[in-house]
């Protein structure tokens, strides 16, 4: 069913400044909330759409939950990405951003800077993610997808997070960056520790970030002496041609492209498969479309999965550089602002039947990959990987089904991303070529 056009701001009642904290507000950031945050977000949209709350780290921030307010905030130049604008003391500043990046001198990346530096760095790296370059990479993504599915297709069971959703984007982004194949398993280990957030050994995230920083510095040095046709070599060539890209900037850019370029895709694939399994009518609809050789429903379906239960729950940190009003609330200079993409993308003032999965939804200007100058640079690659993984799974394992009750699944902790820890599935084992040849002779 098509969504309605954006409703004017007057469709929502004005929010008085006294609405923070709101009486009766739901408890946020619990394990129960992580399992299904959407009822709490619906309450916030209705009663406290710009809501001040204490985060698990102890930092206080504003949560923006309505679609129109979210679009405004994502494009507002008064909301800086630079943590230096955070009004809290230095020790509190360390509780924002990616764990360990400050100590590893990896702060100068696209998620933490504003124009003109943001404009310069984004221009340097954007050539790697043009539609043409991504299209050229499609055969490699298909090859990786098939190879990973080959490893478990004959088993009749798998954990789709561990066996497909996690390794696919890691190997893909490593290929783009120019990480040699013999080093990619190290990257997989470091990345695994990073996305577990608090679930790994104490200090494990910071240690993994430090190891990655050391490896990237070494790799940049090797690429300077022996460049190739890869993203890191391209960044080095740009810095060597007067673009003033420092070694720290090059390492930070490679780091954030790896970090942001794989975790969003892990969650897109995991959340997407889970949503299809929980909505069998839509899953069968997509399967019939793919069996008929059609791609249209897959294209709109990926956008709907990004809207319905996308990989990024909250946009990354923003900090007010001056006093401003957002959704009727007064936000002080230095206050952190977190745009809740998951809430905005289920706003009934923007999307009809927002809690319904409709793979054919056309009017679907979701915020799953952001909006404005910080719109996700790797979105074309993530979409390609998501489309390829979903289509290949449905074609090769058409009876795919959950192996556990939904209540038994656990979602990863963390503030920004939304994704499952595991996704156990069952299916009829795929017959090997040998089995097929033997049966044909009977």
């Amino acid at each position: 069913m098509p969504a309605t056009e954006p409703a004017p701001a007057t469709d929502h009642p004005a929010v008085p400044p006294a609405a923070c904290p709101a009486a009766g507000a739901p408890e946020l950031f619990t394990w129960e909330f992580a399992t299904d945050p959407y009822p709490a977000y619906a309450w916030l949209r209705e009663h406290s759409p710009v809501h001040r709350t204490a985060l698990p780290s102890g930092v206080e921030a504003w949560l923006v939950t309505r679609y129109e307010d979210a679009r405004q905030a994502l494009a507002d130049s008064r909301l800086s990405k630079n943590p230096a604008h955070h009004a809290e003391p230095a020790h509190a500043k360390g509780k924002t951003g990616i764990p360990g990046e400050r100590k590893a001198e990896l702060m100068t990346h696209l998620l933490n800077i504003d124009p003109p530096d943001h404009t310069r760095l984004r221009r340097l790296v954007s050539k790697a993610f043009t539609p043409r370059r991504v299209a050229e990479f499609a055969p490699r993504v298909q090859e990786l997808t098939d190879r990973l599915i080959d490893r478990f297709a004959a088993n009749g069971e798998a954990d789709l997070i561990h066996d497909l959703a996690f390794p696919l984007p890691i190997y893909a982004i490593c290929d783009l960056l120019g990480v040699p194949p013999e080093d990619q398993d190290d990257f997989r280990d470091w990345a695994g520790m990073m996305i577990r957030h608090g679930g790994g050994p104490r200090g494990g995230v910071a240690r993994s970030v430090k190891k990655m920083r050391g490896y990237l510095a070494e790799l940049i040095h090797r690429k300077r002496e022996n460049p190739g046709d890869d993203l890191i070599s391209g960044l080095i060539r740009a810095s060597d041609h007067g673009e003033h890209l420092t070694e720290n900037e090059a390492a930070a850019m490679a780091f954030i492209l790896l970090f942001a370029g794989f975790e969003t895709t892990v969650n897109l694939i995991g959340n997407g498969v889970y949503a299809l399994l929980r909505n069998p009518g839509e899953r069968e609809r997509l399967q019939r479309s793919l069996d008929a050789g059609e791609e249209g429903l897959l294209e709109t379906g990926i956008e709907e999965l990004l809207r319905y239960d996308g990989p990024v729950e909250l946009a990354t940190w923003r900090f007010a550089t001056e006093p401003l009003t957002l959704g009727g609330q007064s936000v002080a200079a230095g206050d952190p602002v977190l745009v809740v993409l998951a809430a905005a993308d289920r706003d009934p003032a923007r999307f009809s039947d927002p809690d319904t999965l409709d793979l054919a939804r056309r009017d679907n200007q979701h915020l799953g990959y952001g909006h404005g100058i910080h719109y996700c640079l790797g979105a074309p690659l993530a979409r390609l990987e998501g489309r390829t993984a979903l289509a290949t799974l449905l074609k090769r394992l058409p009876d795919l089904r959950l192996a556990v009750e939904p209540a038994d699944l656990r979602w990863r902790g963390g503030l920004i991303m939304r994704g499952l820890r595991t996704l156990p599935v069952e299916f009829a084992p795929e017959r090997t070529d040998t089995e097929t040849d033997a049966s044909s002779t009977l």
Side-chain angles (χ1 to χ4, degrees), residues 204-393:
V205 174
R207 283 195 297 271
S208 292
V209 171
K210 185 176 180 180
K211 288 178 182 178
M212 190 175 290
R213 172 65 178 89
Y215 176 83
L216 288 171
E218 178 189 341
L219 184 61
I220 288 169
H221 178 73
R222 283 155 47 190
K223 295 285 185 181
R224 283 190 185 278
E225 297 182 348
N226 187 24
D229 184 22
D230 55 70
L231 182 52
I232 290 181
S233 296
L235 292 173
I236 292 169
R237 282 192 292 269
S239 67
D240 289 343
H241 286 81
E243 290 288 343
H244 309 297
L245 191 67
T246 67
E247 182 172 303
N248 273 348
E249 287 175 333
M253 287 291 292
F255 167 75
I256 199 59
L257 288 170
L258 175 74
F259 184 80
F262 89 88
E263 189 171 5
T264 53
T265 310
V266 174
N267 296 343
L268 171 57
I269 296 171
N271 297 5
V273 172
Y274 180 61
L276 291 176
L277 295 178
R278 295 279 283 161
N279 293 268
E282 289 300 283
R283 177 259 188 88
E284 291 167 10
R285 184 184 186 190
L286 178 57
Q287 203 142 9
R288 288 194 304 269
S289 173
L290 293 170
D291 290 343
E294 300 167 356
E295 295 289 328
L297 191 62
L298 180 63
E299 297 284 340
T300 58
I302 283 292
E303 301 310 309
E304 176 67 346
L305 293 169
L306 284 164
R307 182 202 70 82
Y308 178 77
D309 197 10
V312 185
E313 190 167 344
L314 282 73
T316 49
W317 296 86
R318 284 166 167 78
F319 306 92
T321 60
E322 61 184 75
L324 56 94
T325 300
L326 185 58
Q329 283 287 8
S330 297
V331 177
D335 279 359
V337 174
L338 290 166
V339 177
V340 187
L341 306 178
D345 280 343
R346 294 222 189 171
D347 189 342
R350 175 59 183 86
F351 302 99
S352 65
D353 296 322
D355 296 322
T356 298
L357 181 70
D358 177 8
L359 298 182
R361 191 184 294 268
R362 293 285 179 181
D363 182 15
N364 196 1
Q365 297 179 29
H366 62 78
L367 303 176
Y369 282 131
H371 172 66
I373 64 171
H374 290 283
Y375 182 83
C376 178
L377 190 65
L381 178 61
R383 286 183 167 101
L384 169 66
E385 293 170 353
R387 289 195 305 267
T388 305
L390 291 178
T392 308
L393 276 172

Side-chain angles (χ1 to χ4, degrees), residues 38-341:
Y38 295 104
Y41 289 149
W43 191 97
L44 291 178
R45 278 196 310 267
E46 181 67 23
H47 300 285
S48 184
V50 180
H51 180 77
R52 190 172 178 90
T53 189
L55 305 175
S57 64
V59 173
E60 290 196 355
W62 295 97
L63 303 182
V64 181
T65 55
R66 287 180 180 166
Y67 183 88
E68 287 302 318
D69 295 337
R71 275 180 62 93
Q72 174 193 334
L74 292 172
D76 195 326
S77 61
R78 298 171 298 175
L79 292 174
S80 170
K81 300 292 292 175
N82 189 341
H85 291 290
H86 190 185
E88 294 296 318
H91 72 277
K93 289 182 171 63
K95 297 178 180 179
T96 64
I98 299 170
E101 64 180 355
R102 284 171 173 77
K103 291 182 179 179
E105 298 182 319
L106 292 171
M107 287 291 292
T108 54
H109 56 68
L110 291 175
L111 296 185
N112 288 335
I113 56 175
D114 304 314
D117 286 336
H118 176 271
T119 307
R120 174 176 61 89
L121 294 181
R122 188 176 177 104
R123 185 179 67 249
L124 292 176
V125 76
S126 61
K127 296 176 183 178
F129 296 100
T130 62
R132 180 186 62 82
R133 183 73 181 267
V134 170
E136 291 173 349
F137 200 55
R140 175 58 174 161
V141 172
Q142 184 65 64
E143 177 189 355
L144 287 169
T145 302
D146 280 319
R147 185 184 302 172
L148 290 167
I149 295 177
D150 285 344
R151 295 178 180 177
F152 60 78
N155 298 340
E157 61 181 12
D159 172 6
L160 288 185
I161 301 299
H162 179 269
D163 296 328
L164 178 64
F166 180 73
L168 173 60
I170 277 287
Y171 293 138
I173 199 69
C174 281
D175 280 359
L176 277 178
L177 289 172
V179 177
E182 61 270 20
D183 295 340
Q184 292 185 6
D185 284 338
D186 286 337
F187 262 73
R188 178 175 174 166
D189 292 343
W190 298 330
M193 180 61 68
M194 288 161 60
I195 71 168
R196 282 198 292 270
H197 301 296
R202 183 175 178 86
V205 174
R207 283 195 297 271
S208 292
V209 171
K210 185 176 180 180
K211 288 178 182 178
M212 190 175 290
R213 172 65 178 89
Y215 176 83
L216 288 171
E218 178 189 341
L219 184 61
I220 288 169
H221 178 73
R222 283 155 47 190
K223 295 285 185 181
R224 283 190 185 278
E225 297 182 348
N226 187 24
D229 184 22
D230 55 70
L231 182 52
I232 290 181
S233 296
L235 292 173
I236 292 169
R237 282 192 292 269
S239 67
D240 289 343
H241 286 81
E243 290 288 343
H244 309 297
L245 191 67
T246 67
E247 182 172 303
N248 273 348
E249 287 175 333
M253 287 291 292
F255 167 75
I256 199 59
L257 288 170
L258 175 74
F259 184 80
F262 89 88
E263 189 171 5
T264 53
T265 310
V266 174
N267 296 343
L268 171 57
I269 296 171
N271 297 5
V273 172
Y274 180 61
L276 291 176
L277 295 178
R278 295 279 283 161
N279 293 268
E282 289 300 283
R283 177 259 188 88
E284 291 167 10
R285 184 184 186 190
L286 178 57
Q287 203 142 9
R288 288 194 304 269
S289 173
L290 293 170
D291 290 343
E294 300 167 356
E295 295 289 328
L297 191 62
L298 180 63
E299 297 284 340
T300 58
I302 283 292
E303 301 310 309
E304 176 67 346
L305 293 169
L306 284 164
R307 182 202 70 82
Y308 178 77
D309 197 10
V312 185
E313 190 167 344
L314 282 73
T316 49
W317 296 86
R318 284 166 167 78
F319 306 92
T321 60
E322 61 184 75
L324 56 94
T325 300
L326 185 58
Q329 283 287 8
S330 297
V331 177
D335 279 359
V337 174
L338 290 166
V339 177
V340 187
L341 306 178

